[in-house]
Amino acid sequence: MEERINELLGRLTLEEKVALTTGRDYWTTRPVERLGIPSIWLSDGPHGVRKIRSSDDMGLGDAVPATCFPTASCMASSWDRSLIAAIGKAIAAECRALGVQVLLGPGINIKRTPLGGRNFEYFSEDPYLTAELAIAFVNAVQEEGIGTSLKHYACNNQEFERMTISAEVDMRTLHEIYLYAFERVVKEARPWTVMAAYNRINGVPATENSYLLTTVLKNEWGYEGCVISDWTAVNDKEKALLAGLDLEMPGKGGSGDMAVLRLVKEGRIAESVIDEAVRRILRLVLQAEQHQRPAVSFDAALQAAHHALARRAAAEGAVLLKNEHHLLPLDRNSLSSLAVIGRFAREPRYQGAGSSQVTPSRVDTAYDEIKKLLGNQCELLYAPGYGSGSEVDENLIAEATAAAKQAAVAVVFAGLPPEWEWEGFDRDQLALPAAHNRLIEAVCAVQPHTVVYLANGSPVTMPWLDQAEAVIEGWLGGQAAGGAAADLLFGLVNPSGKLAETLPRRLEDTPAYLNFPGEADSVRYGEGLFVGYRYYDRKKIAPLFPFGFGLSYTSFEYSDLQCDRKGLLKGIGCRCG
Ligand code: BGC
């Protein structure tokens, strides 16, 4: 391939080379037909394919149907590399079916604050866990011949002032917390592209940051892939090219080419800089060409298989937070009546909004799936309990408590409404909408056997925790989350998810509380290394639920531990009697 790249570089005109450094339109790169250089298609990402019908349309909310897998918060709680690899393979197959060569994901930024507006798209507060999961994902997608885009490089930890904010972070923290996963994935999985973020890092925009793009990524880590910009993140093309950005996305209809051409002719940008960017762009498109496989069809059989995988993933990612008196799993054979409460049971919240929003191939609801499982042997009651907004509606609550009282057990489906978690802005509080909290409290007051089943992409407070007998954090579980809820509630699946991030008791306890979200385009990462559980441990602050927490229906007992000092020193652990 390198020979072919050299040959092409020799045959391309300067004009053609400059043109190649900007996309053709929203989603594709420029072809050079006379030399047989193809155009490739890049699509979001990360938890399903968002293939827009037309390549020159941003098309929010207008993608062709694909499987909507659980978002990263949920996937990460599985702590399961093989599950994440299976999802990666499935998404890659859909990319092939839909004519996409590069998937814009995974998102691997560290969750610095639970308020981060895109936290649902990111895995964890922990760099090691993030790296392990992302390596599994990238390897799986790329083994199927589809490229990935590791994003958003770097320190993309908030949405407030998202195009201009500067993350002011010290070097040790930058490398050990915020760059660690990028480094590991780059070195161990070689993503075809890395996406430079919107924000600035220590004053320098990510797309113009020669320290991050050239010194660290390309020179120290030996990255040979293509550095692309986040969409419209390039402000100054000259600075971006000189800093090591290769491909600007999306295309601007050629308007920037003349300016770059002039800069090269004036000697302000050496032609070798353009050649280096083009070399990497050619590597990307030729790689895509080389890995082309026979097209798959996203037919009914594949849709069903991927939906089943999405259901398994949603169940694996859900975390059982509380289960007093072994209320769960519910016994299908003996349960006489069940009250399913909460609008989300029939109008599920299963993914976040913004560039990651997938048009699902189908959507299961918890209500229908529970009904299917129970058949006619158990009376099923339903009450929405809250409306589409966050205001308390006493009539809906009265109807819901009446249903709850009448049944043997109540399950309340609650969480964050879509407008509360959206790319482009951060949350301003940890609380659920008042309507949801009030409903849960009211149901718990009349029904001692109440399960709360949550749908949210990032941590929420639980003022009713003592009253609810059981709680499951379902995260944003994707299009099959409803089926997963039924599987978990009735014990067809044993919950085994563990939190990939700390659930705090209150906002004031969170690591970035004093510094987030910053002001006047600057945010100081004053907590330094003490991100996530590192902070709670050091400050001895008890969280609501710690990182790694998660119950299951099985009980474990350790007894007669014998520790062998010599063995421990050698790294082999204890023996349990
Ligand atoms: C987002 C990226 C996304 C791109 C293309 C940007 O606004 O930050 O994550 O890949 O749009 O949709």
Side-chain angles (χ1 to χ4, degrees), residues 371-404:
K371 201 174 163 105
K372 263 191 230 164
L373 261 188
L374 291 178
N376 293 328
Q377 65 202 1
C378 165
E379 188 192 2
L380 202 57
L381 304 160
Y382 169 75
Y386 49 83
S388 49
S390 54
E391 309 76 43
V392 177
D393 181 328
E394 291 298 345
N395 291 332
L396 291 179
I397 289 182
E399 188 195 357
T401 49

Side-chain angles (χ1 to χ4, degrees), residues 27 44 50 104 118 151-152 162 195 198 230-231 355 423:
W27 305 110
D44 288 298
R50 186 173 74 95
L104 300 173
R118 296 184 83 172
K151 67 189 189 182
H152 306 87
R162 75 172 185 151
M195 186 190 290
Y198 285 134
D230 197 346
W231 267 232
S355 62
E423 174 181 341

Side-chain angles (χ1 to χ4, degrees), residues 38-57:
S39 162
I40 59 167
W41 192 301
L42 306 93
S43 273
D44 288 298
H47 58 267
V49 193
R50 186 173 74 95
K51 167 87 188 280
I52 305 304
R53 284 165 221 277
S54 156
S55 68
D56 58 8
D57 176 16

